[in-house]
Amino acid sequence: MSSLHTRQPVLPVPRQIPAGPAGFAGRAGELDRLDLLTAPGPDGPPVIVLTGVGGVGKSALARRWAHRAAGRYPDGQLYAQLGAFDPTGPADPADVLAETLRALGLADAQIPVAAAERTALFRSVTARLSLLLMLDDAVSAAQIRPLLPASASSAVIVTARWRLGALALDGARFLPVDPLPEDAATDLLRHRIGDARLGADREATGSLLRWCAGLPVALAVSGARLASRPRWPVRRMVDELNRDNASLPRDISLTTVFDLSYRDLSEPVARCYRALGVHPGAENGVPVVAAMLEVTADEAAALLDQLVEASLVDETGADGDRLRLHDLVRRHARGCADADPESQRLLRHACEWYRDGAATAGRLLTGYRNRPAPMSRPTLPDLPDRAAALSWFDAERHNLVAAVLAAAMPFPLLAWQIADECWPMFHLRRHHADRTIVDRIAAECAHRLGDPAGEAEMVKRLAWAHYDIGQFEEAEPLFGRAMELSTEIGDRPGLGGVHAGLGAVALARGEYARAREHSATQHRIFTELGDVRSATLGLLRLGMVANESGQPADAVTYLRQTITLLSGLGVDPYNEAVAHVELARAVTVLGDHDAARRELDHALSEMDRLGSARGRAQALHRRGELHLAAGRATEASRDLTAAEEIYTRLADVEAGQVRRLLDRLP
């Protein structure tokens, strides 16, 4: 068996599904039904979809059953939050697969970049395992399908607000989850406050149950509030509900229940709750909350513990180190924050923390940018190496995008700064959709600020984003706009960067004379400025032009110079690896296949070390071409197929080039 499919024996069996809520009540029929529906069958793992309105307890039911049935799945239980209602959109199945494969014992270097490869590897790894997967808060069948394991002895439990009917094609069965009946709702409250208080005033208890409408989220918050006030009769809470909301229909009064619990919070805890409502993303952690509140991490943790105790916040993550609000609670917290004159200050602190966190990670990944050190903050991430920096970006990507969106109107400079610090993440991980949003907003912010240099930089990046997905008609005028802005202010480095972009567009269109002219201008401008790295990238582009225009000997000259200079600088391993890929192309044409293979193997190793999906695809692409030239069809098919899958996953323009090469194979 390949080492890619080998479990790491030192890792424990994954048990990721969060503990069920305290005081779970009712659902005996649903639990028994789940026992039956998850019985192994001959046609793959059973897939069960729990559907129901928000707050009805779908996740609690799934978690309760999962822990009850743990013995049926000796190889582990896996959990993923799919984020149907997250501010930045649902989770990407490819990201979920990466986390799942890590939990099953694979190292980062063993996990493919392309979504199709990850799905295939996941199915291979799980083919003989007995696993339970809980996929929480799903948005569509397409989000679920790549996450289905291969073993019939596994099972998948999905929760969703609506019926994902298309999953019926995958053999899924559906279990509606209704609001709790009165007896089960009473039992849930009884667990929180005891039978004596419930029985002391049955009329008040019935009224409270009607206010909560059989929704466990409302019952949990109400019960937590009463539990923290043991001298209160139930009638007191009901009177408050009736007094403050006499005109509201009780079956839509969930917000009212949250209001009462919010009023009971001490001011420091209430401020923490408002901060969570202001936080731009769906999930956060103690460090950013501490930064928002301007307190220590220990103080923030203590405040958050009280919100957890009040059932207003859930702890998530393998170690409970991440925090998440039910989307109904998050909406309420946001409403509370909207009335707080401090809300903008809290938001600014959150965005500053994400800016400085991204700067900390970015300095490890692209040290050649000569960025100023971020402001020292006690809760910034501790990132010892490149791998940790990439992991931080992966974990915080949605929050970073959300921070740019949230800061754009009130803090345009801060939004621009966050976008600027995100460049290493987009450079290495791509994420074209997020990148386009972030760069466009940043360009607009710079324009509003009257900052032509900042606007030119972000317009140029937006142009590169379009270039990378083959939208040359959109990229060229954006590069042109960046040139206008840079010319107006006499920004020669900016002009050099624009010539680099225009050279790339011309090369992609097969306009070799224009590409050569722009690349030579790039090299000249940066040489005059004394910027050795940027000037060397002009040589790299000239080598690419020579390769494409059928001048391999000239390409070798340019590319050997590039490798020597970049190696001497030691600050840009990515482009140094690209130069090795291009050199391999040239020597392949010149007939030195052994040298080409050495260059490509080196480049592939470097791209994997750097965590660059696109770089890996480029190396595989050119190695496939080498195999074609040497008449090795099987090896060519393997490398080209892998490259095509990565390019397609990244929406990169080279996907079409690779497909044409694959069509030539016998």
PDB file of all heavy atoms in Angstrom, residues 53 330 406 522 534 536 659:
ATOM      1  N   VAL A  53     -36.274  23.407  11.191  1.00  0.00           N
ATOM      2  CA  VAL A  53     -36.047  24.848  11.304  1.00  0.00           C
ATOM      3  C   VAL A  53     -34.857  25.125  12.210  1.00  0.00           C
ATOM      4  O   VAL A  53     -34.412  24.269  12.987  1.00  0.00           O
ATOM      5  CB  VAL A  53     -37.304  25.557  11.846  1.00  0.00           C
ATOM      6  CG1 VAL A  53     -38.483  25.347  10.920  1.00  0.00           C
ATOM      7  CG2 VAL A  53     -37.634  25.085  13.263  1.00  0.00           C
ATOM      8  N   ARG A 330     -26.332  34.710  16.931  1.00  0.00           N
ATOM      9  CA  ARG A 330     -25.428  35.705  16.340  1.00  0.00           C
ATOM     10  C   ARG A 330     -26.226  36.902  15.820  1.00  0.00           C
ATOM     11  O   ARG A 330     -25.805  38.055  15.954  1.00  0.00           O
ATOM     12  CB  ARG A 330     -24.626  35.069  15.205  1.00  0.00           C
ATOM     13  CG  ARG A 330     -23.573  35.999  14.627  1.00  0.00           C
ATOM     14  CD  ARG A 330     -22.610  35.280  13.702  1.00  0.00           C
ATOM     15  NE  ARG A 330     -23.246  34.781  12.504  1.00  0.00           N
ATOM     16  CZ  ARG A 330     -23.318  33.508  12.151  1.00  0.00           C
ATOM     17  NH1 ARG A 330     -22.796  32.571  12.921  1.00  0.00           N
ATOM     18  NH2 ARG A 330     -23.904  33.138  11.032  1.00  0.00           N
ATOM     19  N   ALA A 406     -16.202  43.917   6.217  1.00  0.00           N
ATOM     20  CA  ALA A 406     -16.766  44.686   7.326  1.00  0.00           C
ATOM     21  C   ALA A 406     -16.085  46.038   7.494  1.00  0.00           C
ATOM     22  O   ALA A 406     -16.722  47.023   7.901  1.00  0.00           O
ATOM     23  CB  ALA A 406     -16.642  43.877   8.620  1.00  0.00           C
ATOM     24  N   GLN A 522      10.541  45.960 -17.822  1.00  0.00           N
ATOM     25  CA  GLN A 522      10.503  45.594 -16.403  1.00  0.00           C
ATOM     26  C   GLN A 522      11.922  45.409 -15.870  1.00  0.00           C
ATOM     27  O   GLN A 522      12.279  45.951 -14.809  1.00  0.00           O
ATOM     28  CB  GLN A 522       9.707  44.302 -16.206  1.00  0.00           C
ATOM     29  CG  GLN A 522       9.775  43.742 -14.794  1.00  0.00           C
ATOM     30  CD  GLN A 522       9.244  42.316 -14.707  1.00  0.00           C
ATOM     31  OE1 GLN A 522       8.732  41.773 -15.680  1.00  0.00           O
ATOM     32  NE2 GLN A 522       9.374  41.694 -13.542  1.00  0.00           N
ATOM     33  N   SER A 534      13.247  42.107  -8.316  1.00  0.00           N
ATOM     34  CA  SER A 534      12.249  42.442  -9.339  1.00  0.00           C
ATOM     35  C   SER A 534      12.869  42.481 -10.725  1.00  0.00           C
ATOM     36  O   SER A 534      12.224  42.094 -11.709  1.00  0.00           O
ATOM     37  CB  SER A 534      11.596  43.782  -8.997  1.00  0.00           C
ATOM     38  OG  SER A 534      10.905  43.703  -7.752  1.00  0.00           O
ATOM     39  N   THR A 536      15.322  40.607 -11.652  1.00  0.00           N
ATOM     40  CA  THR A 536      15.535  39.202 -12.003  1.00  0.00           C
ATOM     41  C   THR A 536      14.241  38.557 -12.485  1.00  0.00           C
ATOM     42  O   THR A 536      14.261  37.690 -13.372  1.00  0.00           O
ATOM     43  CB  THR A 536      16.106  38.442 -10.799  1.00  0.00           C
ATOM     44  OG1 THR A 536      17.316  39.071 -10.381  1.00  0.00           O
ATOM     45  CG2 THR A 536      16.394  36.991 -11.152  1.00  0.00           C
ATOM     46  N   ARG A 659      -5.534  19.803 -20.958  1.00  0.00           N
ATOM     47  CA  ARG A 659      -6.544  18.934 -21.573  1.00  0.00           C
ATOM     48  C   ARG A 659      -6.180  18.632 -23.027  1.00  0.00           C
ATOM     49  O   ARG A 659      -6.384  17.513 -23.511  1.00  0.00           O
ATOM     50  CB  ARG A 659      -7.917  19.599 -21.497  1.00  0.00           C
ATOM     51  CG  ARG A 659      -8.497  19.646 -20.090  1.00  0.00           C
ATOM     52  CD  ARG A 659      -9.939  20.111 -20.083  1.00  0.00           C
ATOM     53  NE  ARG A 659     -10.301  20.553 -18.740  1.00  0.00           N
ATOM     54  CZ  ARG A 659     -10.451  21.826 -18.392  1.00  0.00           C
ATOM     55  NH1 ARG A 659     -10.293  22.779 -19.290  1.00  0.00           N
ATOM     56  NH2 ARG A 659     -10.762  22.149 -17.142  1.00  0.00           N
TER      57      ARG A 659
END
